Every structure is written in structure tokens, then in C-alpha cells.
Amino acid sequence: MADIDLSQIPFWALPQAERADAFRRLRELDRPVFVKENKVPFVGHGPGYYALVRHADVSEASRNAGIFSSEPTANSIVDMPRWLAVYFGSMINMDDPRHARLRRIVSRAFTPRILSKMEEDLQRAATRIVDEAIADGPGDFVTQIAARLPVQVICDMMGIPPKFHDRVLRATNIILGNADSEYTGIEPEFKRWNVARGLVKLMNAGRSLNHLAARLGRERRGNSTGDLTSLLVNGEESLTPQELGSFFILLVVAGSETTRNAISHGLKLLTDHPGQRELLLSDFEGRIGGAVEEIIRYSTPVIQFRRTLTRDHTMNGMDYRKGDKVLLFYNSANRDEAVFADPDAFDITRHPNPHVGFGGPGPHYCLGAHLARREITVMFRELFTRLPEIRSTGEPDYLLSNFINGIKHLPYAT
Ligand code: HEM
């Protein structure tokens, strides 16, 4: 489809409804389109990728991890050079058995028992954030409220002292907002050197978080303080310093840049759909579960991840060759009319709601899905209890990205 070019940055600056319409047209095609890849300076690039836009394709590719591999990388369209992979090469970019080993070790921190123990901390953090927002008065919902809870939760989990929280937030903004000049300070025109400078910033942000993790790991080795870092460096099976560094980066990036956008999209959606908001507030505890799932489906904070074919394979009538790249477009799968009735309607009572916002079924399904659901629930409970009139008052300032459906700023009133 000539007028839709997913590899061009301006496509990702189009209004959300126009992008959703482009994906709807892509879903109508007989087979996935092939998208040519952009050249990225200093980084090897391939010919391009197939865009998987249907729910059936995204689900099957996620499930069939032996053929649809997460190696060499799942979170970058181009293969990452070694000088970046050293920071960003955690388990999300690995297949079993390496992936299974790391996932088993880090899953210890995500058991229901540990998560329910965190509930009090979560509540305390949400209360403090809303206290401060009330004291400061309404301004920007993202920086005052939505961005603060997730980063605080991950930092507390890992045992990162509060004085480093801002540094962590700045670094994660650069990592996931790498095409956006507000976070990188680099002019938006898509010029060769600007891309190269963005990559250097990316590496520096990775290095800064890696240093923090290494230092913390050294402090906790043999001196457990009960946080996740202590667990990861002292357990029977423990992580190497390199593994700890890249896992920490994965966790802060995956855990904070996603959940904060779900909270921001949530406020906007509940403002734009007053009937849904009324429905939620009339039975908050009964309906918040469905509302969280629908916010994730409708907004899809993570737009896509990549897979690479390990051998020739036919899926849903389409032939793929060994080495082909595919992108799993969760945003499109989540609006697939073959699965969701009236997919463009925001409906918190939608049931069932088999969205793939946390990834498709398979070994890489989001490790933090339960935690994210709890964070979003606690934050909206706190907001609607203490500021029942809270609403967004203008258009969001969206992040320019083909990876994260992010909101950088959102004006609000109470
Ligand atoms: C609304 C919030 C979130 C969204 C939309 C989201 C989305 C996703 C998606 C789509 C994947 C699948 C990657 C793939 O299949 O290749 C994933 C994986 C992952 N997520 Fe999340 N996530 C969220 C919150 C969190 C939180 C709070 C954490 C941690 C505290 C987290 C940690 C992870 C990790 C570690 C993985 C990799 C799992 C693996 O490779 O085995 N996420 N997430």
C-alpha cells in the first residue's frame, strides 16, 4: 500500500485516528505487507520486515517462539551493534534456554505473595504523589502524576535510593524517546548525523543505568537488604554483573515507560467518554478490572516487538523464509475486527477482552503485567477518591515513536 509507509518517521506523527485507519486498511489486505527498512548510520540494517497486523498472526508468532525468534533482538528493528547490545541485551532479546534461565531467576520477584506485600508501598507512593499534586495545583498530568508512580515502584523494588530516581527517569526517557527531540535535545529532522547522535545518547543512558546497577550489586553482594537486587545477586542461582545491569535496564524501561502511558491514556479516555467514566465511578471496585484491560487494549502502550524467522515457515497462508524479520503490531491486533466487536469503541465492560497489549501468549508474555494492573488500579482509585472531578483539559502532547504510544504532557483540571 503505497501511501502507508511504516518506516517513515512522519507516519508516526500522524493523528492517532489516522494511524488506526491505516492499520485497518493493512488488516484488509490478503497478506502482511513488506516494509523497507531505513538505513541507520553505524548500524547494519536489513532489507526490511513483514508487518503482522492481525490478531491471529501476532498471537501465533508470539506462541511459536522456536520459529519466531527473539534473537538477535526483539526490541529493535535493526540488529543492535555490540556496543549497544551490552546494555540492552537482556532476556527480552533471548530465546530459551538462555531466556528461560533468566526468567526463572527474576520471576522470584514477581510472585503473587511478593506483589501483595508491595501493595502497601504502592498505596503509600500513590497517596504521596496525589498529595503533592494537590499542593502544587493542576498542571501537567504526566510529569506530576502518571510518570512518577511506575519509576518509584521499580526503583523501590530494586533498592535504588530516592536521590537517583530522577536520573533513572531521565535515562529511561532517552532510551524510549530516542526519536523525540524533547528528550534527546536533538533536532527532529531525520538526518544521518542526528540519528548517530541519538545512538550515542542511547548508549550513554544505558551506561549510566548500568553503572548504577553495578554499584548497587556490589553493595548488596553478601549483604542482603531484602530488595530485588539482593535477591538477584545472592540467590543460589545468581546473575552476573553484566546480566544484572541489562536486566535492571529492561526492568526500569519496560516497567516505567509503559505503565505511565497507560495511566495518562486512561485519564484521557475516561474524559473523552463520560458515559464510561460514570459507569466506572458507579461501581469502581466492580469495574476497574475491565477498565484497565480496555485502557491497555485501546491505547496499546507498546506498539510493536520484532521476531526473526529461524527457518522457512508458512503461517496463515503466508510463506516466510529463514532470516525474515516480522514486526508484531499489537496496536493493530488490538483493533482487529475479526476478534473485537466494534473495535474502535472504548468499552470498559468488554468481555471477553483477549487483547495482546502485554504481548501475545508465549514465553515472553509481560513479566510485569500483574504489577502494571495493580499500579493503574491503585492510581485511579486514589485519583477518583480524592479528586473526583479530575479530567484532561486539552490534547496530549504525544511522543514521536514507532515503539511506544507515549504521552509526554497532558493538561488537566480538578
Ligand atoms: C501497561 C504496562 C505494560 C505494558 C503495556 C507492557 C508490555 C509488554 C509487552 C508487549 C511485552 C512482550 C515482549 C515480547 O513478546 O517480546 C512485555 C514484556 C516484558 N515486560 Fe512488560 N509491559 C508493561 C508493564 C511492565 C512492568 C510494570 C514491568 C516490570 C516491572 C514489565 C516488565 C516486562 C519484562 C521484564 C518483559 C520481558 C519478558 C520476557 O522476555 O520474558 N512490564 N511487556
Side-chain angles (χ1 to χ4, degrees):
M1 206 162 275
D3 62 322
I4 304 175
D5 189 349
L6 302 179
S7 66
Q8 295 308 312
I9 288 289
F11 174 84
W12 299 98
L14 292 174
Q16 302 251 326
E18 267 181 59
R19 277 196 266 157
D21 192 57
F23 278 102
R24 182 189 55 72
R25 287 159 56 212
L26 291 176
R27 284 194 302 277
E28 281 173 354
L29 301 177
D30 287 346
R31 50 195 53 224
V33 284
F34 185 77
V35 181
K36 272 201 200 146
E37 230 170 271
N38 277 327
K39 281 191 183 137
V40 181
F42 313 118
V43 174
H45 70 282
Y49 58 82
Y50 291 99
L52 304 192
V53 292
R54 291 188 182 165
H55 193 278
D57 280 340
V58 169
S59 301
E60 195 174 328
S62 304
R63 198 179 291 118
N64 202 345
I67 294 177
F68 291 87
S69 164
S70 292
E71 295 183 7
T73 169
N75 56 11
S76 162
I77 297 174
V78 291
D79 293 354
M80 264 190 276
R82 262 201 61 74
W83 47 273
L84 279 181
V86 67
Y87 301 124
F88 303 107
S90 191
M91 66 174 182
I92 206 159
N93 292 337
M94 291 177 192
D95 293 334
D96 292 346
R98 287 197 307 153
H99 165 262
R101 172 183 160 262
L102 284 173
R103 177 130 180 163
R104 196 175 54 245
I105 298 176
V106 300
S107 294
R108 293 183 209 141
F110 291 86
T111 61
R113 200 175 58 85
I114 295 199
L115 291 185
S116 50
K117 261 180 40 196
M118 280 175 61
E119 194 85 31
E120 259 178 49
D121 294 345
L122 201 58
Q123 181 58 55
R124 232 191 333 268
T127 304
R128 197 172 50 242
I129 290 167
V130 175
D131 281 347
E132 287 174 17
I134 291 173
D136 293 345
D140 176 16
F141 183 74
V142 179
T143 48
Q144 283 181 290
I145 297 175
R148 295 189 52 202
L149 184 67
V151 82
Q152 168 128 23
V153 168
I154 308 286
C155 287
D156 287 348
M157 240 176 134
M158 293 293 287
I160 295 166
K163 65 177 179 198
F164 293 119
H165 291 190
D166 277 347
R167 171 169 152 192
V168 171
L169 188 60
R170 270 198 309 276
T172 58
N173 277 343
I174 290 177
I175 292 168
L176 283 186
N178 204 247
D180 197 296
S181 58
E182 179 174 337
Y183 294 134
T184 59
I186 297 170
E187 284 314 303
E189 299 95 60
F190 197 67
K191 288 193 184 134
R192 234 175 110 76
W193 279 104
N194 286 347
V195 176
R197 284 171 64 205
L199 287 173
V200 171
K201 294 228 171 202
L202 187 63
M203 182 183 70
N204 288 338
R207 184 187 289 148
S208 158
L209 292 177
N210 193 59
H211 281 168
L212 197 56
R215 183 172 142 188
L216 217 64
R218 275 196 304 276
E219 285 170 12
R220 301 291 193 273
R221 203 159 280 124
N223 180 26
S224 182
T225 50
D227 51 40
L228 175 55
T229 308
S230 305
L231 204 72
L232 297 178
V233 297
N234 293 314
E236 248 174 54
E237 239 185 332
S238 52
L239 299 187
T240 64
Q242 201 274 327
E243 286 172 341
L244 179 70
S246 56
F247 176 65
F248 171 58
I249 295 171
L250 170 63
L251 208 60
V252 285
V253 173
S256 77
E257 296 288 324
T258 49
T259 314
R260 83 186 216 184
N261 290 313
I263 295 171
S264 302
H265 281 289
L267 182 70
K268 173 163 166 50
L269 285 167
L270 291 166
T271 304
D272 291 352
H273 300 86
Q276 296 293 308
R277 177 193 179 108
E278 229 168 84
L279 210 57
L280 173 62
L281 295 192
S282 65
D283 177 12
F284 185 88
E285 297 308 327
R287 297 219 169 92
I288 185 65
V292 169
E293 298 310 314
E294 184 65 349
I295 289 169
I296 304 280
R297 181 192 75 88
Y298 201 88
S299 64
T300 312
V302 176
I303 297 171
Q304 47 84 8
F305 269 108
R306 166 186 154 186
R307 297 293 190 265
T308 306
L309 274 282
T310 56
R311 58 177 149 98
D312 294 359
H313 179 68
T314 303
M315 179 173 74
N316 298 326
M318 168 85 179
D319 295 329
Y320 299 89
R321 307 292 302 270
K322 178 178 176 178
D324 280 350
K325 286 183 200 180
V326 295
L327 290 201
L328 282 55
F329 282 98
Y330 304 119
N331 59 325
S332 176
N334 281 344
R335 299 284 181 101
D336 190 339
E337 33 294 284
V339 174
F340 301 100
D342 202 0
D344 293 328
F346 175 67
D347 174 6
I348 65 169
T349 63
R350 189 180 287 280
H351 185 78
N353 190 348
H355 69 79
V356 288
F358 288 117
H364 291 280
Y365 182 79
C366 178
L367 181 65
H370 290 305
L371 177 59
R373 290 181 174 112
R374 279 176 198 230
E375 287 181 40
I376 300 165
T377 302
V378 167
M379 192 40 113
F380 278 117
R381 185 186 292 120
E382 188 68 16
L383 286 171
F384 285 133
T385 308
R386 300 185 53 202
L387 299 168
E389 298 299 319
I390 189 166
R391 64 205 177 276
S392 58
T393 51
E395 271 309 291
D397 183 1
Y398 289 107
L399 178 74
L400 180 61
S401 170
N402 62 0
F403 184 46
I404 292 290
N405 185 16
I407 295 183
K408 294 188 294 183
H409 306 288
L410 181 65
Y412 77 104
T414 52

